[in-house]
């Protein structure tokens, strides 16, 4: 059974898509929801950070201003420079923090008309030691009164404070900034006081703070010069917190150095999703479990059951819920039960129909043999033209009816599956010979050319059903002759090997009326003819091709057709054929035994058949005794001794089966008599019933000489149980009936020469007698050297009996 898992796969796929969709949706929505507050908070954070940093810077710069004011006060006091220097040194020694240097820068020559520059500039080293630096007082170096920090506050009102740009100190090599303010003595501008701040610790603080909070910081002074820069990178869509602070107009820009708002929002969303993912996964698994249990499993189960119940049977699963699936199961089961019942009915009616057809055709066939035989006999007598015309119509109609019956019987047998193929060795040449003799004559009579070609070796023998192969060819050739008004008919035989098996390919081509495309598809169906007028024009039942197709299929082959209206038709048949070794002719000869003096009881209700069997058996030398039913047969066996009984089945009063049973039940040697069941019934059941009633074997009607010989040989022990073979051989003598039997064989074998010889013998044998009908029948046959037809044989048999 095909394992189906598509539903499971589909549901897993759908749930996975659902999960992915859900996670994307949750992610998207969360992002949209959380991004604005995150952005707002980040903005607030950055603003407050920039304020914290700027106020820290402001505070750091505030305290040096106190020192500056102190220095201005020292300058304002106008005290002795030495005293001022002492106070300043003291002031710087005490101060800590960022103020590292500073002092008083008097107006040149303000104290002393000889001294150009008399600055009191002190520097506090890292170890806290305060030194006075005199280098600025060297006029050769240009002095200090031209420096920006001096000129910016020169003659400016008292209390003015000006901050210098950031610069790198020449001594300490650190970033510095200087605040300067003027001082006055006695209301006159007397110089400038300065304090220098080291930005080192400020930078350290800013860097540490920025690092701690992942910030990028940029601080610029009032002139826009960069004072401090730490990790300050500006990206697109980034928020910059900008803040101006202090008296000195510095600006601070703070950004988030590590991540954008989007990154943060993304982090948050990821966190949310990571949190809900396991829950979702569990939900999906649970959902799958539920769907699987309630939907997929029952459906898969139903599918399996449907697979198993293709040949019938209901779906038997334990499904409790009262839903659509339950409804589906119930509906399927109801339908199955209904269809099974219908199938039974159909089978029963087909069987009944076939049985009826078989019985009716069998029953009609038997009297029809008599009708046709009698018509033939009458046709040979002196009749007026009118009488002959009516009798001919009677014969033709009867003949047509026989063909119809035979085909119906054959078809119903095949339809019921009763047709079993025989397997006997035969040469292909014998088939070619027989179709040649029949259809050559028929074609020539109709003015058509007939040609057989064969690529198969002349020595080729097959192990197959010769009769059925001949039936296929006869049906196709009958049609070819029937539907061809001028031109030719050709048959070709070839062998092909397909999948290691041997096939015989037969192609029958005619130049006849052809079949139109619409009808081509239907002609292999029973009772179908290419057009409704066919029966009127050509006769036929529409069964021939259906039978051919069925037989071809039974022989593991097939048939196809190609045709063009008005141009002709080609049938292509392929049949699997087992190749056989040719049989030795001697092997068959030794089966001929002598039967002279043996007594045979022919049990047959039909007079024509009785006559035929009688002719056969007397031809072989048997003494024939005939009875008309089973009752008489049993009485005859009780009263007389016989060596063989030829037992028909369908008979009035008592049938063959019952009679056989009664004979076998006799309390004497006679119960062991050899009985051949002779039946025209082609159905296997009848044959089997006869065999189980006690007949030794079945000889089917019409009797085949070869088959009869074979059976007599095979059962010779039983045949000679009452009389020995030697006695029979001694009693053997020639008679005319034996000639008749030989004639049957010659006709069967299509042996024109032998038939001519026998017919001549019979004619000579009858010469002295006054049997006009027989002579009239024989003369044209001998003259034309043609084979007698079946009807002529029947008539000859009946007439010879009288003789
Ligand atoms: P039947 O010959 O008894 O009518 P068949 O089954 O043998 O039935 O053929 C069915 C139909 O196929 C025929 O009636 C005829 O219309 C068509 N047919 C068969 N063989 C030929 C052929 N060789 N040429 C033209 N038509 C044909």
């Amino acid at each position: 059974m095909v394992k189906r898992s598509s539903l499971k796969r589909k549901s897993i796929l759908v749930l996975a898509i659902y999960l992915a969709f859900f996670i994307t949706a949750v992610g998207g929505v969360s992002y949209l929801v959380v991004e604005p507050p995150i952005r707002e908070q980040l903005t607030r954070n950055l603003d407050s950070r920039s304020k914290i940093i700027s106020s820290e810077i402001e505070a750091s710069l505030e305290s040096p201003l106190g020192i500056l004011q102190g220095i201005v006060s020292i300058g304002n006091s106008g005290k002795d420079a030495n005293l001022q220097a002492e106070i300043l040194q003291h002031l710087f020694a005490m101060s800590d923090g960022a103020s590292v240097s500073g002092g008083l820068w008097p107006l040149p020559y303000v104290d002393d008309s000889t001294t150009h520059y008399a600055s009191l500039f002190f520097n506090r080293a890292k170890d806290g030691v305060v030194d006075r630096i005199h280098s600025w007082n060297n006029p050769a170096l240009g002095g200090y009164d031209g420096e920006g920090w001096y000129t910016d506050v020169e003659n400016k009102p008292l209390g003015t404070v000006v901050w210098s740009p950031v610069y790198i100190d020449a001594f300490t090599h650190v970033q510095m900034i200087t605040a300067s303010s003027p001082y006055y003595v006695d209301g006159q501008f007397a110089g400038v006081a300065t304090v220098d701040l080291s930005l080192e610790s400020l930078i350290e603080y800013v860097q540490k703070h920025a690092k701690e909070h992942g910030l990028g910081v940029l601080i610029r002074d009032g002139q826009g010069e960069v004072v401090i820069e730490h990790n300050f990178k500006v990206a697109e869509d980034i928020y910059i917190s900008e803040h101006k602070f202090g008296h000195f107009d510095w600006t601070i820009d703070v950004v988030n150095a590590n991540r954008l708002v989007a990154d943060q929002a993304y982090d948050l969303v990821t966190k949310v999703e990571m949190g809900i993912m396991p829950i979702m996964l569990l939900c999906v698994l649970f959902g799958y479990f539920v769907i699987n249990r309630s939907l997929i499993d029952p459906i898969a189960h139903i599918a399996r059951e449907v697979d198993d119940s293709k040949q019938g049977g209901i779906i038997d699963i334990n499904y409790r819920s009262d839903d659509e699936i339950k409804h589906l199961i119930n509906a399927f089961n109801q339908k199955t039960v209904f269809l099974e019942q219908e199938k039974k009915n159909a089978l029963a009616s087909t069987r009944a129909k076939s049985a009826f057809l078989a019985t009716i055709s069998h029953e009609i066939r038997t009297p029809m043999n008599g009708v046709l035989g009698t018509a033939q006999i009458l046709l040979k007598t002196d009749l007026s033209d009118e009488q002959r015309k009516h009798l001919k119509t009677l014969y033709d109609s009867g003949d047509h009816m026989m063909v119809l019956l035979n085909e119906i019987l054959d078809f119903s047998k095949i339809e019921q599956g009763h047709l079993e193929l025989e397997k006997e060795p035969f040469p292909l040449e014998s088939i070619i010979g027989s179709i040649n003799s029949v259809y050559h004559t028929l074609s020539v009579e109709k003015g058509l050319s007939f040609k057989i070609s064969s690529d198969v070796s002349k020595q080729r023998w097959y192990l197959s059903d010769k009769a059925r192969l001949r039936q296929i060819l006869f049906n196709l050739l009958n049609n070819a002759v029937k539907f061809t008004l001028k031109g030719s008919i050709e048959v070709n035989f070839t062998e092909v090997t397909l999948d290691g098996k041997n096939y015989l390919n037969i192609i029958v081509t005619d130049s006849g009326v052809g079949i139109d495309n619409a009808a081509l598809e239907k002609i292999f169906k029973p009772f179908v003819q290419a057009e409704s007028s066919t029966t009127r024009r050509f006769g036929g039942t529409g069964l021939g091709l259906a039978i051919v197709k069925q037989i071809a299929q039974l022989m593991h082959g097939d048939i196809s057709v190609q045709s063009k209206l008005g141009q002709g038709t080609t049938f292509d048949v392929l049949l699997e054929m087992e190749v056989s070794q040719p049989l030795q002719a001697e092997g068959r000869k030794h089966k001929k035994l002598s039967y002279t003096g043996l007594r045979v009881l022919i049990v047959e209700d039909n007079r024509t058949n009785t006559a035929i069997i009688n002719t056969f058996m007397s031809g072989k030398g048997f003494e024939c005794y005939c009875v008309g039913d089973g009752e008489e047969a049993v009485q005859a066996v009780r009263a007389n001794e016989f060596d063989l009984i030829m037992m028909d089945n369908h008979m009035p009063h008592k049938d063959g089966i019952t009679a056989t049973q009664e004979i076998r039940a006799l309390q004497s040697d006679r119960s062991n008599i050899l009985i051949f069941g002779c039946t025209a019934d082609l159905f296997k059941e009848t044959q089997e019933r006869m065999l189980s009633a006690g007949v030794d074997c079945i000889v089917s009607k019409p009797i085949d000489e070869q088959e009869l010989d074979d059976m007599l040989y095979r059962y010779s022990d039983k045949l000679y149980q009452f009389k020995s073979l030697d006695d029979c051989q001694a009693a053997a003598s020639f008679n005319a009936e034996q000639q008749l039997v030989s004639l049957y064989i010659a006709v069967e074998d299509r042996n024109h020469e032998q038939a001519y010889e026998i017919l001549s013998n019979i004619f000579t044998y009858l010469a002295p007698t006054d049997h006009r009908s027989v002579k009239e029948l024989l003369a044209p046959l001998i003259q034309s050297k043609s084979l007698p037809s079946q009807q002529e044989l029947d008539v000859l048999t009946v007439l010879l009996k009288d003789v």
Side-chain angles (χ1 to χ4, degrees):
M1 196 194 74
V2 187
K3 197 166 160 44
R4 292 192 184 84
S5 57
S6 59
L7 269 185
K8 291 195 176 192
R9 248 183 285 134
K10 266 188 218 159
S11 61
I12 290 172
L13 191 72
V14 167
L15 287 173
I17 292 172
Y18 162 75
L19 187 62
F21 178 75
F22 185 83
I23 287 170
T24 315
V26 166
V29 170
S30 323
Y31 188 86
L32 290 177
V33 171
V34 300
E35 201 261 3
I38 287 180
R39 185 177 288 278
E40 204 176 306
Q41 175 157 13
L42 203 78
T43 309
R44 271 205 307 271
N45 278 353
L46 285 182
D47 285 346
S48 58
R49 282 291 142 212
S50 66
K51 275 186 191 135
I52 289 169
I53 295 170
S54 57
S55 54
E56 181 65 29
I57 293 171
E58 233 177 321
S60 314
L61 297 182
E62 249 352 284
S63 68
L65 282 183
I67 294 173
L68 181 67
Q69 270 167 15
I71 298 170
V72 168
S73 306
I74 295 168
N76 284 342
S77 67
K79 289 201 169 108
D80 171 58
N82 288 336
L83 186 61
Q84 282 179 333
E86 202 176 315
I87 297 169
L88 282 172
Q89 186 162 23
H90 203 66
L91 183 69
F92 278 103
M94 277 174 33
S95 77
D96 55 1
S99 325
V100 289
S101 54
L104 289 170
W105 309 82
L107 193 66
Y109 307 112
V110 77
D111 294 335
D112 181 350
S113 56
T114 56
T115 310
H116 196 159
Y117 296 114
S119 70
L120 300 172
F121 180 50
F122 291 88
N123 180 60
R124 183 164 47 83
K126 281 207 170 120
D127 54 6
V129 177
V130 178
D131 288 321
R132 183 170 172 191
I133 294 162
H134 295 276
S135 55
W136 283 98
N137 294 338
N138 184 356
L141 295 175
Y144 51 76
D145 55 342
E147 294 292 325
W149 49 267
Y150 189 96
T151 53
D152 281 352
V153 291
E154 190 176 6
N155 293 314
K156 289 282 161 28
L158 192 66
T160 306
V161 177
V162 172
W163 288 90
S164 73
V166 175
Y167 59 92
I168 307 288
D169 182 63
F171 299 106
T172 56
H173 302 292
V174 293
Q175 274 181 297
M176 304 276 281
I177 183 171
T178 299
S180 50
S181 186
Y183 65 89
Y184 288 83
V185 177
D186 300 330
Q188 291 294 315
F189 173 73
V192 173
T194 63
V195 62
D196 304 324
L197 297 179
S198 161
L199 295 182
E200 201 175 15
S201 56
L202 207 60
I203 291 169
E204 259 171 35
Y205 162 78
V206 170
Q207 281 177 341
K208 195 169 154 225
H209 194 91
K211 227 184 250 172
E212 238 168 53
H213 294 93
L215 304 173
V217 180
L218 178 72
I219 299 172
R220 279 165 297 165
D221 62 18
Q223 282 75 40
E225 295 295 324
V226 174
V227 181
I228 303 168
E229 192 273 326
H230 175 78
N231 220 1
F232 188 80
K233 286 178 213 124
V234 180
E236 200 185 332
D237 196 30
I238 197 166
Y239 173 71
I240 304 171
S241 170
E242 197 173 326
H243 189 56
K244 227 181 181 116
F245 65 98
H247 324 282
F248 33 87
D249 279 347
W250 281 15
T251 317
I252 179 165
D253 289 347
V254 179
V255 293
N256 201 323
N258 298 331
R259 291 173 308 163
L260 300 175
V261 177
D263 294 338
Q264 272 200 13
Y266 181 78
D267 276 2
L268 199 77
V269 169
T270 310
K271 267 186 206 145
V272 170
E273 292 207 331
M274 282 303 167
I276 59 166
M277 189 96 93
I279 300 168
M280 270 311 295
L281 214 59
L282 278 178
C283 289
V284 165
L285 283 177
F286 181 71
Y288 174 73
F289 173 76
V290 172
I291 291 173
N292 199 24
R293 221 185 127 93
S294 58
L295 273 178
I296 299 174
D297 269 355
I299 291 175
H301 201 145
I302 291 173
R304 275 200 300 278
E305 292 266 327
V306 170
D307 263 348
D308 294 346
S309 66
K310 270 187 189 144
Q311 308 298 327
I314 57 165
I315 299 176
D316 184 15
I317 62 169
N318 185 16
Y319 189 81
R320 288 203 202 92
S321 11
D322 194 14
D323 54 15
E324 282 86 348
I325 292 182
K326 180 91 180 169
H327 176 73
L328 191 73
I329 296 169
N330 289 343
F332 181 91
N333 286 346
Q334 277 167 11
K335 202 166 204 161
T336 307
V337 169
F338 174 75
L339 289 177
E340 271 174 10
Q341 189 51 48
E342 287 299 298
K343 186 176 147 195
K344 269 188 208 151
N345 293 346
L347 276 177
S349 82
T350 307
R351 240 179 258 130
K353 179 195 78 183
S354 299
F356 172 74
L357 279 177
T359 315
I360 204 88
S361 48
H362 181 275
E363 290 305 313
I364 296 172
R365 217 149 64 112
T366 312
M368 277 307 287
N369 272 329
V371 172
L372 289 178
T374 315
Q376 281 287 301
I377 293 166
L378 281 174
L379 276 170
K380 299 286 172 190
T381 59
D382 285 336
L383 296 168
S384 68
D385 284 352
E386 189 68 10
Q387 285 171 325
R388 187 169 295 280
K389 203 175 108 200
H390 289 318
L391 200 57
K392 186 81 175 67
T393 313
L394 175 78
Y395 176 78
D396 287 346
S397 311
D399 190 46
H400 180 69
M401 191 167 160
M402 281 300 283
V403 172
L404 193 75
L405 284 172
N406 283 338
E407 287 197 337
I408 289 175
L409 190 62
D410 231 359
F411 187 74
S412 74
K413 201 167 89 165
I414 296 172
E415 210 186 24
Q416 279 202 337
H418 286 296
L419 186 85
E420 280 182 13
L421 297 176
E422 300 290 327
K423 263 196 170 184
E424 50 162 0
F426 65 90
L428 180 63
E429 274 303 302
S430 69
I431 299 276
I432 294 180
S434 68
I435 59 167
N436 192 31
S437 59
V438 176
Y439 290 99
H440 190 267
T441 321
L442 282 176
S443 305
V444 170
E445 263 174 24
K446 237 184 140 181
L448 307 169
S449 79
F450 183 76
K451 194 177 139 204
I452 300 180
S453 56
S454 168
D455 302 332
V456 184
S457 150
K458 282 199 181 330
Q459 275 73 47
R460 175 63 88 220
W461 280 59
Y462 294 119
L463 188 65
S464 185
D465 196 324
K466 180 180 176 184
R468 295 297 166 191
L469 174 60
R470 203 162 42 191
Q471 191 175 3
I472 290 177
L473 280 161
F474 274 48
N475 279 7
L476 293 179
L477 286 168
N478 267 341
N479 281 344
V481 173
K482 190 159 72 173
F483 294 108
T484 307
L485 306 175
K486 61 175 191 314
S488 63
I489 294 167
E490 286 177 20
V491 192
N492 173 260
F493 295 88
T494 42
E495 264 185 355
V496 282
T497 309
L498 297 172
D499 297 333
K501 289 176 184 155
N502 188 57
Y503 286 84
L504 177 65
N505 186 202
I506 306 166
I507 297 174
V508 179
T509 311
D510 65 55
S511 59
V513 295
I515 308 166
D516 77 64
N517 278 346
L520 269 184
E521 293 165 14
K522 300 184 289 188
I523 53 167
F524 294 109
K525 293 195 176 131
F527 304 107
V528 171
Q529 296 185 316
E531 45 176 303
S532 48
S533 62
T534 303
T535 317
R536 248 177 291 128
R537 267 177 82 197
F538 301 101
T541 58
L543 276 175
L545 290 179
I547 292 171
V548 169
K549 188 169 175 94
Q550 302 262 27
I551 298 174
Q553 286 174 344
L554 267 174
M555 294 173 105
H556 304 123
D558 211 345
I559 178 169
S560 61
V561 59
Q562 284 186 330
S563 186
K564 269 209 170 129
L565 259 190
Q567 293 186 18
T569 308
T570 300
F571 285 95
D572 189 331
V573 190
L574 206 61
L575 305 168
E576 194 189 329
M577 286 288 190
E578 196 179 320
V579 174
S580 150
Q581 287 301 316
L583 281 190
Q584 298 298 317
E586 301 80 51
R588 297 182 82 76
K589 264 189 196 153
H590 80 273
K591 292 186 182 174
K592 302 255 181 204
L593 299 166
S594 175
Y595 310 113
T596 311
L598 292 181
R599 290 158 63 87
V600 59
L601 178 66
I602 298 166
V603 188
E604 170 66 67
D605 60 329
N606 183 276
R607 284 185 49 213
T608 314
N609 287 346
T610 309
I612 292 168
I613 300 172
N614 196 337
T615 312
F616 261 123
M617 302 310 279
S618 3
K620 292 182 183 301
F622 282 96
E623 275 175 33
C624 300
Y625 300 88
C626 303
V627 291
D629 65 46
E631 185 64 54
E632 289 175 18
V634 179
Q635 281 167 15
V637 173
R638 276 209 182 97
N640 300 292
E641 192 170 80
F642 295 100
D643 301 291
L644 169 67
I645 301 175
M646 302 286 279
M647 180 75 81
D648 182 28
N649 184 29
H650 297 283
M651 288 179 295
H653 309 309
K654 190 171 280 176
D655 64 17
I657 291 174
T658 320
T660 306
Q661 284 165 339
E662 287 181 13
I663 292 168
R664 292 293 185 222
L666 290 176
Q667 299 294 323
S668 75
D669 290 356
R670 291 175 194 176
S671 65
N672 194 35
I673 185 171
L674 177 63
I675 307 178
F676 286 173
C678 300
T679 176
D681 202 328
L682 300 163
F683 288 89
K684 216 174 166 206
E685 284 90 337
T686 317
Q687 301 191 356
E688 275 166 2
R689 274 172 52 225
M690 287 193 88
L691 283 168
S692 55
V695 304
D696 292 283
C697 68
I698 302 289
V699 178
S700 42
K701 282 194 278 189
I703 290 173
D704 176 77
E705 171 90 16
Q706 187 69 59
E707 189 189 349
L708 184 61
D709 278 345
D710 282 349
M711 292 305 168
L712 288 169
Y713 181 78
R714 193 187 304 168
Y715 291 93
S716 53
D717 284 352
K718 213 168 176 185
L719 182 65
Y720 295 107
Q721 63 180 315
F722 304 117
K723 277 194 199 78
S724 77
L725 177 59
D726 296 343
D727 296 346
C728 298
Q729 272 165 349
S733 69
F734 171 85
N735 65 36
E737 286 162 348
Q738 195 166 13
Q739 293 287 318
L740 192 57
V741 174
S742 308
L743 179 62
Y744 268 91
I745 300 165
V747 172
E748 176 67 14
D749 292 343
R750 297 274 142 197
N751 190 333
H752 285 251
E753 272 312 312
Q754 201 180 345
Y756 170 75
E757 209 172 289
I758 298 164
L759 287 171
S760 308
N761 283 346
I762 297 173
F763 195 80
T764 322
Y765 178 68
L766 292 176
T769 67
D770 189 25
H771 217 294
R772 221 157 47 92
S773 310
V774 184
K775 286 180 197 161
E776 267 175 20
L777 180 72
L778 293 178
L781 287 173
I782 294 168
Q783 239 170 12
S784 64
K785 265 199 172 183
S786 56
L787 292 175
S789 69
Q790 186 60 46
Q791 284 76 23
E792 285 165 333
L793 274 175
D794 288 350
V795 174
L796 192 64
T797 309
V798 175
L799 293 178
L800 273 178
K801 179 74 188 129
D802 292 343
V803 172

